[in-house]
């Protein structure tokens, strides 16, 4: 047996495994096998088991034993006294060894022709973003340049896939060994991957988050249908692969908390439990995330401090970004506390070197070291069912392990070696010997013996002292030592063991140069003194400095910010609760037969309107004095585009399969702003980019609720249609190759869509099992069966009449014509058809087809008996819809009560929810607004806004919130300034833009193109 101290890997005998190989050898074969015994080590077998003074025995790349077993005679013994051995780490969200295609075309060039069909040759899916047939194992190649940085972090195994597309195919598990590809691959198909990002695909569809959701849903249905008809529907290699991959772990990449919840909903619909790769802000909605029961892969890409020294730069930084900078490191700890299984990944890090500092921040923020090790070893192994190969140190598993000089998570611990498949990779083995300490340095030459005190602070920093410190240069690789220092012109040196003497050095700045070998507690070698004469020297350790403690060191401070709902400066620590409230002596605008009632009381109880009357007296309830104030129903916006990540899926003429409800954004500050203007309910509509757009979502403005909590439960379903310039893309003067290009074409798109829907429904009713379920046609069949209702973007009278003709031809009704600026011209025909109308008070002239718009439109249509609504189509306008309604009094002489109904009861009727909201009536939802003045006055301010009997806006609390938000913002800025002064990495200050959307505006297509993009 040969016994070695832990030395650099290059000094060790590297031995190949005896397994047979199919590769020819150019030279003489070397079939020797390797057996190593690592003795006297602290061995962490797994996160729950640590052995002291134990032995790890490996042979032919695998673990033979862990503990105190006998060492074979042929073993190379490596003494690991004072060293720790851990399992190598596992990263299951990597693209190591696989290139990612780059999108060639400019995603923002909307004048370029659209690509409707796949350009992929072969029997593959119609959409290039669905790439289930891609197998990472076919693309994989070892890459030493990329493997080394990962090994230096401690990783020995990765799950790699091609990060491109919505369905990305399968991933391959490989080690980070430098062996050939066939020797490093542990599992060819280990997991299937998905995302909401279409990646390099040049196809127009999808162009939105909700489009990506719809595409995934449709592909699940298509794959199920294809599976039931083998060989009967042609060959589709993508669907074949999709079905084959369903037995594997399913990993879904997301960018934030809402995307994670969204992906889980897709999985739930089809009985799939995704492993969700998070975005890092999941702690903000951990309750909802825990309820999904989804395991997670968490990145450690915590945000850097922003440069906030310049007030003009910092004033626009959002509170949520400041608070996230402080709270992001708590994310893993929050998962641990909630008991959610999670793995950690180095993915998303701009600089891999930040992995360990960030992980230590997470530990300081509450993550236990045990949970951290689990998340990097046994948990990812369990996710992929490869625990029989890696993740622990057990007999039979691969010899993938780390050797460190201390606790892996301690800041001053050094990772010395990373052994992968039984082969060593030098990380910092040259630094394995602890050099720090005080040494007695003796230099012997022709001038006699001179003695100094040498203080070594690190492998590159030391100080030589005589009477005073001398200028010193020092370096060591752990084996060889180099030292030089300059003497003062006159230096008194006290000899040891000889007669005291004084040496004169007359050469100012002359160097004593020494080099030698590190023998542990003593070093020795030769050199030259300040006069160039040869000397010998020895340094003996007199006082060592303790190695790294078994704890994490960092300057990170615990956060002061709280998680609020939404994660906004106006968020709350808890949602407002329903309460029993008596509003006394207000002017009550009932919108019922009783009309406007002076000095009237309203009792709210259990989320409903309980009593209306004068002189009500209820003991033990909260009383709000309404004297001189006005109480109205909550305002209802029939046409809104707030609280979403994307508005238009404009890639095709018919996209009835997409759903606004799939991409709600509950953090949108416009929810709160509109509550301050008395809005309690909004219909969130798809945009007007296509003839038949997406399905609408009716919401209540429950500020702080999640996406599901915003939805108006039990309401009828709606969908957005559009006519005119937006649909035929009048403003796209070049490259518009999407049908239709004329108003005649729009008519034919509608005709064709409903004929297809009618044929599809007939086939379904016939019991034909070969019919493929089509989400696009499902929505249209719902319209035919009066289960889904149309809101149609419209301007020109001829097109309004054209859609009425189509509707009556196919036996359905257009529920609402919105915008409808030429409605006054055909109001009699609209009334005959039975549609409601929703218009602007005085917007016109902003494009050609609205030149005939007039501010008398609403009043004229009302006079002809139509149910008229005033809508916003704009986040800012919705804050003052009461004033927009008041304009109808000026333009047309509408009564005050009828004007108010245009933003309350009338839209409630148009949306089929007037049995719940829109008026103040016993039994209805307590969606109310208490105004400071006449509700149609420009001076009126909403003092309280109730939704379901809970106060979601309180003007007095709003004032307090502003003061608190300013103070908290200043605290965060000061903390960020302090961090930057202490050397924390920084990025330029970045303002968070608030995107205000309307149906003709560009939209924020979050996550689809991989950047914050805007799409017509």
């Amino acid at each position: 047996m040969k016994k070695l101290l832990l030395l650099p890997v290059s000094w060790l005998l590297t031995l190949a495994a005896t397994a047979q190989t199919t590769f020819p050898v150019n030279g003489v074969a070397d079939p020797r096998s390797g057996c190593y015994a690592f003795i006297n080590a602290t061995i962490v077998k797994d996160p729950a088991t640590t052995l002291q003074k134990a032995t790890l025995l490996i042979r032919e790349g695998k673990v033979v034993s862990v503990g105190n077993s006998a060492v074979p005679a042929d073993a190379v013994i490596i003494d690991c006294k004072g060293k720790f051995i851990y399992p190598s780490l596992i990263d299951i969200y990597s693209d190591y060894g696989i290139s990612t295609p780059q999108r060639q075309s400019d995603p923002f060039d909307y004048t370029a022709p659209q690509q409707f069909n796949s350009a992929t040759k072969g029997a593959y899916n119609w959409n290039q973003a669905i790439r289930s047939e891609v197998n990472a194992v076919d693309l994989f190649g070892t890459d030493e340049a990329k493997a080394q940085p990962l090994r230096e972090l401690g990783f020995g195994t990765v799950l790699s896939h091609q990060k491109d597309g919505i369905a990305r195919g399968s991933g391959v598990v490989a080690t980070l060994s430098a062996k050939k590809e066939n020797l490093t691959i542990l599992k060819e198909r280990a997991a299937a991957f998905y995302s909401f990002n279409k990646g390099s695909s040049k196809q127009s569809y999808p162009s939105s988050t909700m489009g990506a959701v719809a595409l995934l849903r449709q592909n699940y249905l298509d794959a199920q249908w294809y599976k039931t008809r083998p060989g009967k529907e042609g060959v589709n290699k993508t669907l074949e692969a999709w079905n084959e991959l369903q037995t594997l772990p399913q990993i879904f990449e997301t960018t934030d908390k809402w995307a994670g919840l969204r992906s889980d909903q897709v999985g739930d619909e089809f009985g799939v439990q995704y492993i969700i790769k998070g975005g890092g802000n999941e702690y903000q909605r951990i309750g909802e995330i825990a309820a999904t029961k989804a395991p997670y892969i968490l990145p450690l890409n915590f945000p850097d401090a922003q440069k906030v020294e310049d007030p003009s730069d910092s004033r626009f930084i959002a509170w949520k970004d400041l608070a996230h900078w402080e709270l992001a490191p708590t994310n893993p700890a929050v998962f641990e506390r909630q008991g959610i299984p999670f793995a950690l990944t180095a993915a998303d890090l701009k600089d891999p070197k930040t992995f360990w500092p960030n992980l230590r921040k997470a530990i300081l923020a509450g993550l236990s070291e045990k949970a951290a090790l689990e998340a990097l070893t046994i948990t990812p192994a369990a996710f992929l069912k490869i625990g029989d190969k890696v993740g622990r140190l057990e007999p039979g598993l691969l010899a993938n392990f780390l050797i460190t000089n201390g606790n892996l998570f301690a800041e001053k611990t050094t990772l010395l070696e990373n052994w992968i498949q039984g082969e060593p990779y030098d990380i910092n083995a040259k630094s394995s010997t602890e050099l720090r300490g005080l040494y007695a340095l003796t230099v012997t030459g022709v001038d006699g013996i001179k003695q100094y005190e040498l203080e070594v602070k690190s492998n590159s920093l030391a100080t030589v002292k005589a009477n005073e410190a001398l200028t010193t240069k020092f370096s060591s690789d752990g084996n060889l030592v180099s030292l030089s220092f300059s003497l003062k012109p006159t230096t008194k040196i006290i000899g040891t063991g000889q007669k005291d003497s004084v040496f004169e050095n007359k050469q100012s700045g002359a160097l004593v140069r020494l080099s030698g070998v590190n023998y542990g507690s003593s070093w020795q070698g030769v050199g030259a003194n300040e006069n160039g004469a040869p000397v010998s020297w020895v340094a003996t350790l007199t006082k060592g400095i303790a190695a790294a403690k078994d704890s994490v060191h960092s300057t990170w401070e615990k956060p002061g910010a709280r998680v609020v709902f939404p994660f906004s400066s106006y968020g709350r620590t808890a949602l407002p609760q329903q309460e029993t409230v008596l509003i006394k002596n207000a002017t009550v605008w009932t919108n019922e037969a009783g009309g406007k009632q002076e000095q009237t009381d309203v009792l709210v109880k259990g989320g409903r309107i309980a009593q209306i009357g004068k002189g009500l007296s209820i003991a033990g309830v909260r009383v709000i004095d309404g004297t001189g104030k006005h109480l109205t129903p909550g305002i209802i916006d029939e046409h809104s585009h707030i609280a979403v990540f994307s508005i238009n899926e404009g890639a095709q003429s018919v996209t009835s399969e997409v759903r606004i409800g799939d991409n709600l954004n509950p953090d949108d500050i416009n929810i709160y702003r509109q509550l301050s203007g008395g809005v309690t309910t909004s219909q969130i509509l798809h945009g007007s980019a296509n003839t038949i757009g997406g399905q609408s979502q009716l919401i209540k403005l429950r500020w702080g609720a999640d996406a599901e909590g915003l939805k108006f439960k039990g309401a009828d379903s709606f969908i957005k249609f559009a006519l005119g310039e937006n649909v035929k893309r009048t403003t796209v003067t070049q490259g518009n190759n999407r049908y239709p290009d004329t108003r005649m074409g729009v008519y034919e798109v509608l005709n064709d869509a409903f004929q297809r829907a009618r044929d599809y429904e007939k086939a379904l009713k016939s019991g034909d099992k070969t019919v493929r379920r089509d989400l696009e046609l499902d929505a249209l069949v719902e319209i035919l069966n009066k289960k889904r209702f149309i809101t149609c973007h419209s301007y020109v009278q001829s097109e309004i009449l054209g859609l009425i003709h189509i509707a009556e031809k196919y036996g359905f009704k257009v529920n609402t014509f919105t915008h409808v600026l030429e409605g006054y011209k055909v109001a009699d025909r609209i009334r005959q058809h039975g549609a409601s109308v929703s218009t602007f008070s005085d917007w016109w002239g902003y494009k050609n087809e609205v030149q005939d718009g007039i501010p008398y439109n609403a009043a004229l249509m009302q006079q002809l008996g139509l149910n008229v609504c005033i809508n916003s189509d704009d986040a800012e306008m919705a804050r003052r819809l009461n004033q927009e309604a008041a304009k109808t009094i000026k333009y047309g002489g509408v009564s005050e009560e009828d004007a108010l109904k245009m933003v309350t009861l009338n839209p409630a009727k148009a949306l089929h929810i007037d049995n719940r909201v829109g008026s103040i009536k016993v039994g209805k939802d307590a969606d109310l607004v208490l105004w400071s003045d006449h509700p149609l006055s420009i001076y009126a301010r909403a003092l309280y806004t109730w939704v379901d009997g809970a106060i979601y806006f309180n003007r007095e609390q709003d004032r307090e919130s502003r003061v608190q938000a300013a103070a908290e913002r200043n605290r965060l800025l000061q903390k960020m300034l302090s961090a930057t002064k202490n050397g924390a990495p920084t990025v330029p200050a970045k303002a968070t833009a608030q995107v205000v959307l309307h149906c003709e505006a560009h939209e924020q297509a979050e996550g689809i193109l991989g950047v914050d993009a805007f799409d017509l």
Side-chain angles (χ1 to χ4, degrees), residues 6-80:
L6 187 64
L7 293 175
V9 174
S10 59
W11 289 34
L12 292 175
L13 181 63
T14 302
L15 303 174
T18 58
Q20 288 181 302
T21 177
T22 59
F23 294 95
V25 177
N26 182 24
V28 178
D30 183 3
R32 292 178 296 173
S33 63
C35 180
Y36 296 93
F38 301 84
I39 65 173
N40 297 322
T42 299
I43 300 178
V44 181
K45 290 178 58 178
D46 57 59
T49 309
T50 300
L51 306 177
Q52 302 294 334
K53 295 181 180 180
T55 297
L56 170 65
L57 183 65
I58 69 171
R59 185 186 294 275
E60 296 182 3
K62 292 189 175 181
V63 176
V64 175
S65 65
V66 185
N68 296 307
S69 57
V71 177
D74 64 337
V76 175
I77 299 178
I78 301 173
D79 192 347
C80 292

Side-chain angles (χ1 to χ4, degrees), residues 635-954:
I635 289 174
I636 300 170
D637 192 352
E638 188 276 338
H639 187 141
S640 178
H641 298 296
I642 65 167
V644 285
F645 288 108
S646 57
I647 284 296
N648 275 304
E649 179 50 66
Q652 299 174 164
S653 295
V654 178
T655 58
S656 48
E657 73 280 2
V658 306
R659 306 181 298 193
I660 286 290
D662 286 334
N663 80 149
L664 290 177
N665 175 17
D667 288 344
D668 186 356
I669 189 62
N670 285 305
I671 298 173
Y672 183 75
R673 290 172 178 168
Q674 292 183 15
L675 282 165
S676 74
V679 180
T680 56
T681 299
S682 295
Q683 179 179 210
I684 313 303
L685 289 167
H686 186 277
S688 56
N690 31 14
T691 307
I692 299 178
Q695 300 169 31
S696 312
Q697 181 60 58
L698 192 64
I699 68 171
K700 285 201 176 188
L701 274 60
R702 303 182 182 104
W703 177 241
D706 63 9
E708 287 303 305
L710 288 177
K711 294 178 180 179
F712 196 126
K713 299 296 192 296
D716 282 348
S717 301
F718 282 74
I719 190 170
K720 173 74 173 291
F721 280 29
L723 307 169
E725 293 182 15
N726 294 7
V727 174
K728 67 189 189 69
R729 301 206 159 186
T730 300
T731 58
V732 181
T733 57
Q734 302 176 14
N736 179 31
N737 60 335
R738 196 198 76 179
Y739 186 89
D741 204 31
T742 65
R743 299 180 193 272
M744 296 180 292
V746 172
Y747 183 90
E748 285 308 316
V749 166
L750 291 166
N751 197 54
D752 172 73
F754 282 104
Q755 185 59 56
R756 288 188 293 114
R758 179 180 283 176
D759 294 342
Y760 172 72
E761 181 185 27
K762 182 178 179 181
L764 287 174
K765 289 181 177 179
S766 72
D768 186 351
K769 301 298 183 181
T770 68
V771 178
R772 177 181 67 88
R773 186 179 167 197
D774 190 319
L775 294 175
E776 174 190 307
L777 296 178
D778 281 350
L780 300 183
V781 169
E782 289 175 348
I783 295 171
L784 293 174
N785 292 325
K786 300 178 176 59
K787 294 181 178 179
R788 183 170 298 278
F789 303 91
I790 298 168
T791 292
C792 184
H793 164 113
S794 56
Y795 289 100
V796 178
Q797 62 172 328
S798 59
E799 293 186 309
I800 294 169
L801 297 176
L803 179 56
I804 289 174
H805 180 265
I806 288 287
E808 293 175 351
K809 175 181 178 180
Y810 288 96
F812 64 88
K813 184 177 72 174
V814 179
N815 187 86
T816 308
F817 285 99
T818 189
H819 301 327
V820 68
L821 293 196
E822 291 189 16
Y824 65 94
K825 296 182 180 180
V826 288
D828 54 344
R829 185 68 179 90
I830 296 173
R831 182 187 60 200
Q832 182 185 24
H833 181 67
S836 293
V837 289
S838 185
T839 189
F840 299 126
S841 61
D842 58 358
W843 268 16
W844 68 87
Y846 48 87
K847 60 180 177 176
N848 186 64
E849 65 184 357
V850 298
Q851 296 305 315
D852 282 357
I854 58 174
Y856 305 95
N857 187 40
L860 290 172
M861 290 190 293
Q862 187 210 35
Q863 290 172 17
L864 287 170
L866 293 178
N867 181 51
V868 179
C869 315
I870 300 293
N871 65 61
S872 74
D873 188 21
D874 178 78
E876 190 279 329
M877 183 186 287
R879 299 166 64 185
R880 47 184 172 80
L881 272 178
N882 59 319
Q883 297 175 26
E884 295 299 305
K887 292 177 183 179
T888 62
I889 299 173
K890 175 181 180 180
Y891 298 114
V894 174
S895 71
E896 290 184 350
E897 291 187 46
D898 284 343
L900 183 64
K901 288 178 182 178
M902 289 184 179
V903 291
T904 53
L905 184 60
N906 292 2
K909 291 178 179 178
L911 295 169
H912 308 176
I913 53 175
D914 52 306
N915 64 324
R916 296 269 305 274
V917 293
S919 66
I920 299 177
K921 180 180 180 181
V922 173
K924 281 195 172 186
D925 294 356
D927 291 5
L928 302 167
V929 187
L930 185 64
W931 302 89
S932 62
D933 294 279
H934 191 294
L936 300 178
S937 165
I938 62 172
Y939 298 105
R941 293 173 297 161
L943 302 177
Y944 297 92
T945 302
W946 286 267
V947 179
D948 298 321
I951 297 175
Y952 276 85
F953 178 79
N954 178 329

Side-chain angles (χ1 to χ4, degrees), residues 304-454:
D304 291 332
Q306 299 188 48
K307 296 179 180 179
V308 295
E309 293 86 354
D310 188 336
S312 65
D313 291 336
S314 64
R315 63 192 291 251
F316 294 112
I317 301 174
W319 174 90
K320 65 178 182 180
D321 294 331
L322 295 170
H324 179 55
W325 166 76
E326 185 179 50
L327 289 169
T330 68
N331 200 46
V334 171
F335 272 77
E336 181 185 2
R337 288 197 297 270
Q338 289 287 331
I340 304 171
F342 67 95
L344 294 172
T345 177
D348 303 339
L349 291 174
K350 295 178 181 178
D351 182 358
K353 293 179 181 178
T354 62
F355 175 80
W356 281 105
N358 283 1
L359 180 54
R360 292 180 182 116
K361 283 183 182 179
I363 292 172
L364 281 169
L367 177 66
S368 70
E369 293 183 11
K370 180 176 180 290
L373 188 58
E374 288 175 349
L376 290 164
T377 54
I378 61 173
T379 299
F383 284 175
L384 301 181
K385 301 177 182 178
I386 55 172
D388 59 339
K389 295 181 174 66
V390 291
R392 298 167 296 140
L393 295 176
E394 294 285 354
L397 274 64
L398 288 183
N400 285 17
F401 58 92
L402 309 173
I403 302 178
T404 71
N405 66 352
N407 176 1
L408 182 62
F409 300 101
E411 185 177 20
K412 295 181 180 179
T413 290
T414 300
L415 174 57
L416 306 175
E417 296 178 5
N418 190 347
W419 288 66
I420 301 175
Q421 293 181 258
E423 294 191 0
Y425 294 88
D426 181 358
I427 307 302
N428 288 292
K430 292 180 180 180
S431 304
S432 61
T433 303
E434 180 58 66
L435 303 179
R436 295 177 303 151
L438 298 177
Y439 295 78
L441 172 62
T442 302
V443 180
T444 304
V446 294
D447 296 332
I449 300 174
K450 302 176 182 178
Q451 189 164 348
Y452 307 88
E453 182 183 83
L454 172 64

